Amino acid sequence: MIGYVFLNIAIMIVLLGLLFYMNKKHISFTKRVFTALGLGIIFGLLLQYFYEPGSVAIVKSTDWFSIVGSGYVKFLQMIVMPLVFISILSAFTRLKLTSNIGKISVLIIGILLGTTAIAAAIGITSATVFDLEAVQIEQGDAETSRGAEITEKTGTIEDKMSMPQQIIELIPANPFLDLTGARSTSTISVVIFAAFLGIAYLGVKRKQPEHAEFFSKIVDALHSIIMRVVTLILRLTPYGILAIMTNTVATSGLGAILKLGKFVGASYVALIVMFLIHLLLLMIAGLNPITYLRKAFPVLSFAFTARSSAGALPMNIQTQKQLGVSEGIANFAGSFGLSIGQNGCAGIYPAMLAVMIAPTVGIDPLSPSFIATLILIVAISSFGVAGVGGGATFAAILVLSAMDLPVALAGLLISVEPLIDMGRTALNVSGSMTSGVLTSKITHDLDKEQYNETSVKLDTEM
């Protein structure tokens, strides 16, 4: 068996070498990402074909592959907080957010919440059209265990379910703790802290310009260093996607996916429809949706494979800049999108679950009052949803509890949860980028020439 593990590792090294060769030949970043995605799927399926599910060969092999895949995600997570902090602060020192920061924040949050409400309506429609009900799913040991775990978790977050408490959670009582990313709302808390420092800088600039100038030079230097680190990490994207996708496909339970294909299909129909609405909103704003799709493909591919909105933040911001969004707005949109209004995890998913579970307690999920209440609760509850694995579960607990529905049934889809979560995460990232682009367009800050530029570099070839 050890020999097979070595063989699998050798094949992975060859595939990584192929991506490196493509880079040396200056093949575009997007093509390398697409190639990595395809190779990961094929290699994962081959591992499934030649080995028994859960075999030692697959477990050991994917464990080694994780050095590349999980290691890449950790590098991205490492740079998230420094990137958010220094980018927001530099937006003030460079006089890019001084006059309309309030308007920008309101627009971004409004678009995020508005699209989440639309996503909830789409989730309700999809669950209804596909006639999804919780009673259709057989509960095994895994589902029962997951349900008990969710029920236990509900008690620990009930105090944070009210709107006032969710808003309070966004305020940074200890900014140094939030810089470590310890809380689900840490990213927004860091944004708030950086904004306070930026406003303070503007005050000092009027009264003590020499101190402000010195501080500005420090911020500019740190910004240059952080952005260089981001560039170095983004160069690793194709390699990370190859390893992550291979692991995901190789360890996915194909039997469970086939068994619950109806639920998976309904979820992806809803996700695709909501993504098309993102494109429609851009088109209404007078922007070419095909251009957005082409430039967004690398970051959406990463979000799909890694299932981490937070890990995708550096690429999210870089992509928005490629779309003509200013750095300040890009950072606000990307950061707010991690914890507010996630269209997939906080919109579609809890709405579909509520419609599926309602009949089990004698509630008609098609009654106008139920639908209106559900959409409103989904939108409000989307505050403070973590942009990492588990955020969808948190959102589901909030919504189901508020609707007086049994939260334990949220564990019924555990066997296909990773597959559905891939699409949800990609939609979350698209939602935050769409909010940034639309906000820039509304505030007349969008660089249309940059948006329409055909090349896609993401600053990875610097």
Side-chain angles (χ1 to χ4, degrees):
M1 191 61 67
I2 297 298
Y4 290 122
V5 174
F6 279 116
L7 175 61
N8 296 337
I9 294 173
I11 294 174
M12 174 59 72
I13 291 174
V14 170
L15 295 178
L16 292 171
L18 175 61
L19 293 175
F20 181 76
Y21 175 78
M22 293 175 67
N23 182 40
K24 286 298 183 181
K25 288 295 182 179
H26 304 291
I27 294 176
S28 71
F29 182 75
T30 302
K31 289 181 179 178
R32 283 183 281 130
V33 168
F34 187 81
T35 300
L37 189 65
L39 290 176
I41 293 173
I42 294 171
F43 190 24
L45 289 174
L46 288 175
L47 290 175
Q48 283 251 14
Y49 178 77
F50 285 106
Y51 303 103
E52 291 292 328
S55 67
V56 175
I58 286 185
V59 172
K60 294 290 185 181
S61 298
T62 54
D63 197 29
W64 281 98
F65 298 166
S66 294
I67 294 177
V68 178
S70 299
Y72 171 66
V73 173
K74 285 185 177 293
F75 278 135
L76 283 168
Q77 293 171 338
M78 170 190 75
I79 202 63
V80 165
M81 291 305 174
L83 173 63
V84 170
F85 177 75
I86 202 65
S87 295
I88 295 295
L89 192 53
S90 68
F92 280 90
T93 60
R94 297 177 181 184
L95 300 177
K96 292 182 179 178
L97 285 176
T98 56
S99 60
N100 57 354
I101 183 173
K103 180 180 179 180
I104 288 171
S105 300
V106 170
L107 280 172
I108 290 172
I109 293 174
I111 292 171
L112 288 170
L113 293 181
T115 52
T116 299
I118 295 173
I122 291 173
I124 293 171
T125 303
S126 181
T128 302
V129 170
F130 281 85
D131 192 26
L132 302 185
E133 291 188 16
V135 294
Q136 298 171 355
I137 303 175
E138 181 181 347
Q139 292 194 51
D141 293 338
E143 287 76 13
T144 302
S145 176
R146 179 60 171 166
E149 180 184 333
I150 291 175
T151 301
E152 182 180 352
K153 188 176 181 179
T154 302
T156 65
I157 63 174
E158 282 185 337
D159 293 338
K160 301 179 183 178
M161 288 173 57
S162 68
M163 185 66 170
Q165 286 299 319
Q166 290 183 56
I167 294 174
I168 291 174
E169 281 295 306
L170 302 178
I171 300 174
N174 183 347
F176 299 101
L177 175 66
D178 286 319
L179 282 168
T180 67
R183 302 188 303 143
S184 63
T185 57
S186 284
T187 307
I188 292 182
S189 297
V190 169
V191 171
I192 294 172
F193 177 57
F196 266 95
L197 289 180
I199 294 171
Y201 160 81
L202 296 177
V204 171
K205 186 177 181 180
R206 288 193 298 269
K207 298 181 179 180
Q208 298 173 298
E210 67 280 2
H211 291 172
E213 183 180 357
F214 178 70
F215 180 76
S216 178
K217 289 181 179 179
I218 293 176
V219 172
D220 284 346
L222 288 174
H223 182 266
S224 297
I225 297 297
I226 293 298
M227 292 311 298
R228 185 59 183 173
V229 173
V230 170
T231 298
L232 295 174
I233 294 174
L234 290 184
R235 287 178 176 176
L236 303 175
T237 300
Y239 311 106
I241 286 180
L242 169 63
I244 294 170
M245 200 66 207
T246 299
N247 280 6
T248 301
V249 175
T251 57
S252 295
L254 296 181
I257 293 173
L258 293 175
K259 184 178 180 181
L260 296 174
K262 180 180 178 180
F263 297 90
V264 175
S267 298
Y268 271 90
V269 166
L271 293 170
I272 291 171
V273 169
M274 189 61 214
F275 181 69
L276 292 176
I277 288 179
H278 289 168
L279 300 181
L280 177 62
L281 291 173
L282 294 172
M283 190 164 58
I284 292 173
L287 301 172
N288 188 338
I290 303 301
T291 301
Y292 170 84
L293 186 60
R294 184 174 62 251
K295 293 188 175 183
F297 177 79
V299 63
L300 295 181
S301 298
F302 169 75
F304 183 82
T305 53
R307 297 167 51 202
S308 173
S309 299
L313 182 61
M315 291 184 69
N316 181 332
I317 294 171
Q318 290 289 326
T319 301
Q320 289 188 62
K321 289 164 65 177
Q322 285 286 313
L323 290 166
V325 179
S326 66
E327 188 169 336
I329 293 178
N331 274 277
F332 267 78
S335 302
F336 283 144
L338 291 185
S339 299
I340 296 176
Q342 293 191 347
N343 292 180
C345 290
I348 289 175
Y349 181 66
M352 290 185 70
L353 279 180
V355 172
M356 290 169 56
I357 294 172
T360 65
V361 291
I363 297 176
D364 179 11
L366 296 182
S367 67
S369 60
F370 178 86
I371 293 175
T373 302
L374 178 57
I375 292 176
L376 179 62
I377 288 177
V378 165
I380 294 175
S381 299
S382 66
F383 273 86
V385 177
V388 294
T393 300
F394 183 84
I397 291 174
L398 292 177
V399 171
L400 295 178
S401 297
M403 297 292 292
D404 290 326
L405 297 173
V407 296
L409 294 180
L412 290 176
L413 297 176
I414 183 175
S415 57
V416 291
E417 180 72 13
L419 179 61
I420 298 174
D421 194 44
M422 294 166 74
R424 290 194 309 240
T425 307
L427 185 66
N428 293 342
V429 173
S430 177
S432 70
M433 291 194 298
T434 300
S435 71
V437 174
L438 292 178
T439 297
S440 291
K441 186 68 168 59
I442 294 171
T443 58
H444 306 290
D445 189 54
L446 185 71
D447 185 342
K448 291 185 179 179
E449 185 176 339
Q450 176 63 48
Y451 182 94
N452 293 319
E453 174 64 43
T454 57
S455 62
V456 183
K457 294 182 180 180
L458 293 183
D459 292 341
T460 60
E461 299 171 6
M462 293 172 55

